[in-house]
Amino acid sequence: GAVVSQHPSRVICKSGTSVKIECRSLDFQATTMFWYRQFPKQSLMLMATSNEGSKATYEQGVEKDKFLINHASLTLSTLTVTSAHPEDSSFYICSAQRANTEAFFGQGTRLTVV
Amino acid sequence: DAKTTQPPSMDCAEGRAANLPCNHSTISGNEYVYWYRQIHSQGPQYIIHGLKNNETNEMASLIITEDRKSSTLILPHATLRDTAVYYCITEAGSGNTGKLIFGQGTTLQVKP
């Protein structure tokens, strides 16, 4: 099946700093990617839709200035958590869909803000 | 977007079939039913999807009722590695966009 890769898989950062998470589709082009976050023992929550070459679409309640999304190419989307705080600690997951097939998910990034 | 309802947890004996139900009574005519699973601390893994007809692949079978208001995922011979949270999702939006809204899922525990 198609492969979606995230980097890094784990990151620890200090409060107030920014962290960038990369999501790559390794064997297909993705005009649209999606970003989710997941708190412990909870389900995945859709944060935003990343569109290649245009602005991301954020779900209600998600701060677009805090979670910056860039989709500069057909194989790469990045999520930058700006001025991170401990409450931003979570499991961040991306997904991408190859044309007319199912969505494939990355392995996730565990962010810990200390 | 159609909402789905799943039991929060289920147990299954190793080697037996696991039947995971899902209700999606408000599903619209062009919405697919997708099943994913998530093993602890990993990204969700695609299992199977369908629209109207029953589907089978190397992982599972999907049985969709004629009125499309419910479906059942069948793992024919569950193993310990099938222990995971299983999500039944109806696709948001139109045209197979890949935008998936997750519910709480069913935690399947396969026991020896």
Side-chain angles (χ1 to χ4, degrees):
Chain A
V3 177
V4 174
S5 178
Q6 277 183 247
H7 177 81
S9 57
R10 290 179 177 270
V11 59
I12 301 173
C13 73
K14 292 184 177 181
S15 185
T17 62
S18 297
V19 173
K20 180 184 287 187
I21 303 169
E22 293 185 346
C23 178
R24 293 181 184 273
S25 55
L26 298 185
D27 56 354
F28 66 101
Q29 294 182 331
T31 55
T32 305
M33 294 184 177
F34 302 91
W35 287 96
Y36 297 81
R37 66 189 296 183
Q38 185 177 32
F39 292 108
K41 299 189 178 182
Q42 294 187 23
S43 186
L44 285 77
M45 183 192 79
L46 179 66
M47 298 176 66
T49 302
S50 173
N51 305 298
E52 189 268 336
S54 65
K55 292 182 178 180
T57 305
Y58 292 83
E59 296 299 304
Q60 190 173 6
V62 177
E63 299 175 60
K64 62 180 181 181
D65 294 331
K66 180 167 186 62
F67 299 100
L68 301 180
I69 292 173
N70 183 278
H71 195 150
S73 77
L74 288 171
T75 60
L76 173 64
S77 175
T78 60
L79 169 68
T80 301
V81 182
T82 63
S83 187
H85 289 94
E87 57 265 31
D88 298 323
S89 298
S90 188
F91 192 52
Y92 291 87
I93 308 167
C94 70
S95 73
Q97 184 186 22
R98 193 170 48 192
N100 299 319
T101 68
E102 62 274 14
F104 296 91
F105 287 81
Q107 71 271 39
T109 297
R110 176 76 58 192
L111 170 64
T112 303
V113 185
V114 298
Chain B
D1 303 346
K3 294 182 66 175
T4 62
T5 305
Q6 300 176 251
S9 63
M10 293 182 64
D11 289 343
C12 176
E14 188 178 19
R16 305 298 292 269
N19 297 288
L20 291 87
C22 178
N23 287 321
H24 31 80
S25 59
T26 60
I27 193 170
S28 62
N30 65 343
E31 286 187 309
Y32 286 75
V33 179
Y34 287 84
W35 284 84
Y36 284 79
R37 71 181 183 183
Q38 186 179 28
I39 297 170
H40 182 62
S41 295
Q42 298 182 23
Q45 176 190 23
Y46 167 79
I47 301 173
I48 199 167
H49 75 284
L51 183 62
K52 294 182 180 179
N53 299 322
N54 298 337
E55 302 288 345
T56 296
N57 62 20
E58 65 278 5
M59 290 183 68
S61 294
L62 174 60
I63 309 298
I64 302 174
T65 58
E66 191 169 345
D67 63 8
R68 302 214 320 126
K69 293 184 177 181
S70 65
S71 60
T72 301
L73 178 74
I74 301 173
L75 307 179
H77 305 286
T79 71
L80 298 178
R81 287 179 294 181
D82 291 323
T83 292
V85 180
Y86 287 77
Y87 295 100
C88 167
I89 304 163
T90 54
E91 184 194 2
S94 62
N96 196 21
T97 63
K99 179 179 179 180
L100 303 176
I101 306 299
F102 285 77
Q104 295 306 307
T106 295
T107 299
L108 176 67
Q109 182 73 46
V110 181
K111 298 184 174 181

